[in-house]
């Protein structure tokens, strides 16, 4: 039995407790229950989860007039202040994202990219793709040795790893189309924090220390993010003067201040000095793209999510499509039967991802075919409930015949019903660890999200092929899955939840599990977010579990079916979600896995 916080949405909010899930695991009843182990597991779980959720409201944070949930208290506060000052969700998104570039250097960024999923107050959906693109002169051969073998380090470190950044252009475009407050007002909080500095939390200091070696390879990065080569301690006030100057230019000139002039020159200088091929023209040419969001359904809910070059939206809808035929509420959250079924589906969907998904401007992604219910039925037909299918026996399907920590997600909702789910990334922690000369701007290593060669896994262990091969001007495939959940009420589709996650390949399964916890297992958003997570991505053939929340008996039952279960050291994803409160207003559900916080209006 998995024990988890399954506080039910149907109970009155303030009275909800966090009951232990009842035992609904058939294998469990079959006689292999060991009560002592279960009780031990439960005590262990409470001991470990207790400190993680301490300080956070177990039922989420209520705010009647708008809310921002992000992995940085400074960023959530800046966004919420914009809402208080009369700004809308688009305005708050701009302010939040820019502060994250200052206070969350691990993934917050100016020189990264992301996806923005926007819902207007009147219920229209828009997907803004501000993913990085490969510099025009980049070729697949640059990442191969003389024998044609991939050199993965080149796509992770140094100039060749850097994609042309999209975040700034995306935020400016979002503001141009949907913002209300002046651009300068929205950039101001980031300028102030970069200029005055902010105290590093223990976790901030830990993250920077973990990248100390990389940062010290680049004197400019070392000068900002280390103390003469040693890690900054917790409590240290991190001042970023160059970044403040870059932000001032951005405030004054808009995106022109980033994509042309001294900032662009500094970025290109660093990239080229370290072996890259990016040019000033690449930066001047960068354009975000408005795309048609993917709209699917699940048990009567409308699921609005991101299209390619995200793989997450298609994969999420494929998994939901295969799961809908099964009564997950009956088999129970955390039961081995439920985990087994989901794992088998994940295995097949990640195999499809490796074959069929890439930048739709370069590769004809068979979206409709991958989501065709007939294809999904066929794809799930060989799943046995008795045993795991080894991944080597699972190939990508043929839909045409009938798919960290180092990214971040935040959610915003305003008083008028406008909402935004934005996932943004530098890819690896602090990207390449290099800053553009004189700019204070950390540079991404998003090129690693391409498939360098068949069978060569990227940082996230994900495989790919032709659809996601390296090519100039092409966008690397992403797993980022910003998603909105809606439900029909009196003829209108009402927003129920805003969600998304970081976590590389684990993004998609993190979003899936929170969504299922909410819809199938009747948890309120905070419980759905807190519940333990697992993940399978076809290769490696491993059913990965978070370190807490899965007790011995469930693990045993899964192993008996043939799963190779590995209990990981780290937690999965960081789903910063917002739920519509039943009595109006919003409830923020920050993920306790990082120092996420909600700030409301
Ligand atoms: N860089 C991680 C992703 O986009 O999936």
């Amino acid at each position: 039995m998995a024990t988890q916080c399954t506080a039910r949405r149907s109970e009155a909010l303030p009275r909800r407790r966090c009951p232990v899930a009842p035992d609904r695991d058939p294998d469990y009843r079959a006689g292999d229950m060991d009560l002592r182990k279960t009780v031990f597991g439960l005590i262990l779980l409470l001991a470990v989860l207790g400190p993680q959720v301490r300080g956070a409201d177990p039922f989420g944070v209520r705010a009647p007039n708008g809310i921002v949930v992000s992995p940085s208290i400074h960023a959530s506060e800046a966004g919420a202040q914009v809402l208080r000052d009369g700004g809308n969700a688009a305005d708050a998104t701009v302010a939040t994202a820019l502060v994250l570039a200052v206070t969350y250097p691990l993934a917050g960024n100016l020189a990264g990219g992301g996806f923005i999923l926007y819902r207007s107050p009147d219920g229209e959906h828009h997907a803004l793709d501000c993913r990085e693109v490969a510099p025009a002169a980049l070729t697949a051969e640059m990442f191969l040795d003389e024998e044609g073998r991939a050199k993965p380090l080149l796509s992770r470190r140094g100039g060749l790893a850097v994609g042309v950044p999209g975040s700034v252009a995306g935020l400016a475009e979002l503001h141009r189309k949907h913002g209300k407050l002046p651009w300068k007002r929205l950039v101001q909080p980031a300028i102030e924090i970069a200029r005055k500095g902010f105290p590093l939390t223990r976790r901030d200091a830990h993250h920077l220390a973990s990248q100390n070696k990389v940062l010290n390879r680049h004197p400019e990065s070392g000068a900002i993010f280390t103390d003469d080569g040693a890690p900054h301690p917790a409590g240290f006030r991190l001042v970023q003067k160059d970044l403040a100057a870059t932000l001032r230019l951005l405030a004054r000139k808009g995106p022109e201040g980033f994509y042309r002039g001294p900032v662009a020159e500094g970025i290109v200088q660093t990239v080229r000095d370290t072996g890259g091929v990016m040019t000033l023209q690449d930066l001047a040419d960068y354009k975000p793209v408005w795309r048609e969001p993917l709209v699917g359904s699940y048990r009567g809910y409308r699921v609005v999510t991101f299209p390619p070059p995200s793989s997450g939206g298609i994969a999420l809808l494929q998994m939901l499509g295969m799961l809908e035929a099964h009564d997950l509420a009956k088999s129970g959250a955390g039961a081995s039967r439920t985990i087994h079924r989901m794992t088998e589906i994940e295995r097949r969907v990640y195999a499809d991802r490796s074959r069929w998904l890439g930048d739709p401007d370069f590769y004809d992604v068979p979206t409709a075919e991958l989501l065709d219910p007939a294809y999904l039925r066929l794809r799930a037909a060989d799943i046995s409930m008795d045993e795991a299918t080894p991944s080597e026996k699972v190939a990508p399907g043929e839909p045409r015949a009938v798919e960290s920590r180092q990214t971040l997600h935040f959610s915003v909702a305003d008083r008028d019903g406008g909402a935004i789910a934005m996932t943004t990334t530098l890819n690896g922690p602090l990207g390449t660890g290099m800053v553009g000369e004189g700019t204070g701007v950390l540079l991404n290593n998003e090129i690693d999200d391409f498939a360098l060669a068949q069978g060569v896994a990227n940082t996230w262990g994900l495989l790919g092929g032709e659809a996601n091969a390296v090519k100039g001007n092409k966008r690397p495939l992403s797993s980022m899955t910003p998603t909105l959940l809606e439900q029909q009420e009196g003829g209108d589709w009402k927003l129920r939840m805003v969600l998304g996650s970081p976590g590389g390949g684990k993004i998609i399964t993190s979003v899936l599990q929170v969504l299922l916890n909410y819809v199938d297992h009747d948890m309120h958003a905070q419980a759905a977010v807190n519940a333990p997570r697992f993940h399978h991505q076809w290769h490696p053939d491993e059913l990965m579990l978070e370190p807490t929340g899965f007790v011995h008996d469930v693990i045993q039952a899964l192993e008996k079916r043939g799963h190779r279960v590995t209990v990981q050291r780290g937690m999965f994803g960081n789903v910063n979600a917002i739920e519509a409160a039943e009595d109006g207003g919003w409830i923020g559900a920050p993920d306790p896995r990082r120092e996420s916080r909600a700030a409301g209006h």
Side-chain angles (χ1 to χ4, degrees):
M1 179 177 82
T3 51
Q4 47 196 345
C5 177
T6 55
R8 305 218 148 223
R9 278 186 286 127
S10 45
E11 294 168 22
L13 255 180
R15 292 182 189 281
R16 279 181 200 151
R17 291 186 303 122
C18 217
V20 170
D23 166 25
R24 284 173 291 188
D25 188 339
D27 293 329
Y28 206 57
R29 281 190 210 112
D32 54 15
M33 168 172 147
D34 179 332
L35 193 60
R36 278 166 308 166
K37 284 178 195 154
T38 306
V39 170
F40 174 73
L42 177 57
I43 292 167
L44 193 70
L45 168 74
L46 292 175
V48 181
L49 263 189
Q52 284 171 1
V53 296
R54 195 180 297 142
D57 185 325
F59 302 113
V61 176
R62 281 182 163 255
N65 293 319
I67 195 159
V68 181
V69 188
S70 89
S72 157
I73 182 65
H74 309 282
S76 298
E77 261 307 324
Q81 189 56 47
V82 164
L83 294 175
R84 292 176 206 123
D85 290 353
N88 60 18
D91 297 318
T93 294
V94 173
T96 304
L98 294 177
V99 171
L100 283 163
V102 180
T103 61
Y104 199 79
L106 205 68
N109 64 81
L110 298 183
F115 296 140
I116 301 173
L117 186 59
Y118 173 67
R119 182 191 198 267
S120 68
D122 52 9
E124 282 177 14
H125 306 113
H126 306 274
L128 181 56
D129 166 1
C130 50
R131 180 76 164 160
E132 301 91 331
V133 300
L138 201 74
T139 65
E141 289 69 34
M142 290 171 181
F143 297 91
L144 304 177
D145 66 15
E146 294 78 35
E147 273 90 50
R149 284 184 305 240
K151 300 201 284 187
L153 254 190
L154 288 180
S155 64
R156 296 173 196 172
R157 299 281 173 236
L160 280 180
V162 187
V164 182
S167 296
V168 168
L171 294 170
E173 173 64 11
L174 177 72
H175 178 258
R176 184 189 70 77
K177 221 156 162 212
H178 299 289
K180 246 164 68 178
L181 296 187
W183 172 257
K184 272 189 185 158
R185 155 71 186 86
L186 306 177
V187 188
Q188 200 55 37
I191 296 174
E192 286 302 303
I193 299 175
R195 188 175 67 81
K196 292 189 185 147
F198 69 99
L200 295 177
T201 63
R202 256 189 344 163
R203 200 177 294 215
D204 294 335
H206 168 76
H207 284 148
L208 288 178
S210 72
Q211 302 305 313
N212 195 255
K213 211 161 125 196
V214 177
L215 291 167
N216 277 315
R217 268 188 222 134
H218 308 286
E220 262 196 72
S221 309
I224 302 166
F225 297 109
T226 77
D227 189 1
D228 261 344
H232 288 310
F236 176 84
R237 183 166 281 276
L238 183 65
V239 173
Q240 299 170 80
K241 286 209 172 84
D242 287 347
L243 186 56
T246 296
L247 285 161
R248 274 197 292 273
L249 260 179
L250 189 58
R252 238 186 21 250
K253 298 191 164 178
E256 288 279 299
F258 183 85
Y259 288 95
R260 295 173 193 273
V263 175
E265 284 158 18
I267 291 173
V268 167
Q269 184 78 47
T270 298
V271 169
R272 295 190 79 94
D273 286 352
T274 52
V277 295
M278 194 187 294
T279 62
L280 286 171
Q281 197 59 47
D282 284 324
L283 282 159
D285 286 346
Y286 184 86
K287 296 226 166 9
V289 182
W290 289 102
R291 299 191 187 274
E292 201 55 45
L294 286 175
V295 182
S297 71
Y298 183 67
R299 301 199 201 284
Y301 285 86
R302 184 155 79 175
V303 183
V304 184
T305 186
F306 219 89
S310 165
S311 62
I314 288 184
L316 179 70
L317 295 180
Q318 281 191 298
M319 293 191 285
L320 292 172
M322 287 190 241
L323 286 166
E324 194 161 18
H326 305 284
D327 191 344
L328 299 185
K330 189 164 166 217
S331 59
S336 66
R337 197 175 168 75
T338 308
I339 297 175
H340 171 75
R341 190 186 296 287
M342 288 169 65
T343 301
E344 289 304 303
I345 285 170
E346 289 168 14
R347 191 194 306 277
R348 285 156 178 80
V349 166
Y350 277 79
D352 281 4
R353 177 193 193 278
S354 76
R355 167 73 179 86
W356 296 110
L357 299 185
D359 182 347
D361 298 338
F362 286 76
Y363 183 82
D364 187 13
V365 177
T367 303
E369 290 89 342
L370 285 164
L371 296 176
D372 184 333
Y375 171 69
L376 295 178
R377 269 196 303 278
L378 198 68
R379 196 74 180 107
D382 65 345
I383 293 176
S384 154
M385 284 312 287
D386 297 327
E387 57 182 11
T389 323
S391 287
E392 65 194 33
K393 296 210 171 126
V394 174
E398 289 293 336
R400 284 192 165 113
V402 236
E403 181 192 44
S404 125
R405 265 188 305 269
Q406 297 67 24
T407 298
L408 71 86
H409 176 84
F410 66 93
S411 297
V412 179
D414 66 27
R415 70 193 313 163
D416 301 321
I420 287 183
M422 177 169 186
T423 315
T424 180
T425 185
L426 288 165
N427 193 34
L430 298 109
T432 54
M434 307 189 297
V435 292
E437 199 168 298
T439 65
V441 173
L442 280 161
L443 303 178
N444 70 78
N445 59 353
E446 217 66 62
I447 297 302
D448 192 58
D449 272 345
F450 281 118
L452 298 190
Q454 197 78 38
V456 176
N458 70 7
T459 301
W460 310 107
L462 295 165
L463 299 177
E466 178 55 30
N468 188 31
V470 182
K471 201 168 168 39
N473 293 320
K474 186 176 173 185
R475 285 161 152 88
L477 184 63
S478 172
S479 298
M480 295 185 289
T481 314
T483 296
L484 306 169
L485 192 64
E486 298 178 342
Q487 197 176 29
Q488 208 158 25
E489 195 185 285
D492 293 330
W493 285 98
K494 298 274 191 230
L495 183 61
R496 291 287 178 248
M497 206 185 209
V498 186
L499 72 165
S501 181
K506 296 190 182 86
I507 292 174
I508 307 168
T509 51
S510 296
V511 171
L512 172 74
Q513 287 168 85
V514 173
L515 200 150
L516 298 180
N517 289 342
Y518 181 83
V519 173
D520 288 280
H521 305 305
D522 197 28
M523 297 182 201
H524 63 67
Q526 189 69 66
V529 163
N530 292 358
R533 296 186 190 141
F534 59 90
H535 173 75
H536 198 294
Q537 59 179 44
W538 179 48
H539 283 290
D541 190 350
E542 256 174 68
L543 171 50
M544 301 173 222
L545 308 183
E546 285 191 327
T548 57
F550 297 93
V551 293
H552 185 73
D553 305 273
V554 163
I555 296 176
Q556 258 193 342
L558 290 163
E559 284 174 341
K560 249 183 163 169
R561 285 182 169 98
H563 292 284
R564 199 155 77 78
V565 179
T566 59
V567 178
Q568 307 280 307
R569 286 177 57 207
M571 309 296 275
F572 301 175
N574 183 250
V575 180
N576 292 312
I578 295 173
E579 172 185 15
E582 277 152 32
D583 54 358
W586 305 105
I587 303 172
D591 196 326
R593 288 166 181 78
R594 298 189 193 174
E595 288 170 333
S596 295
R597 291 288 182 272
H601 170 29

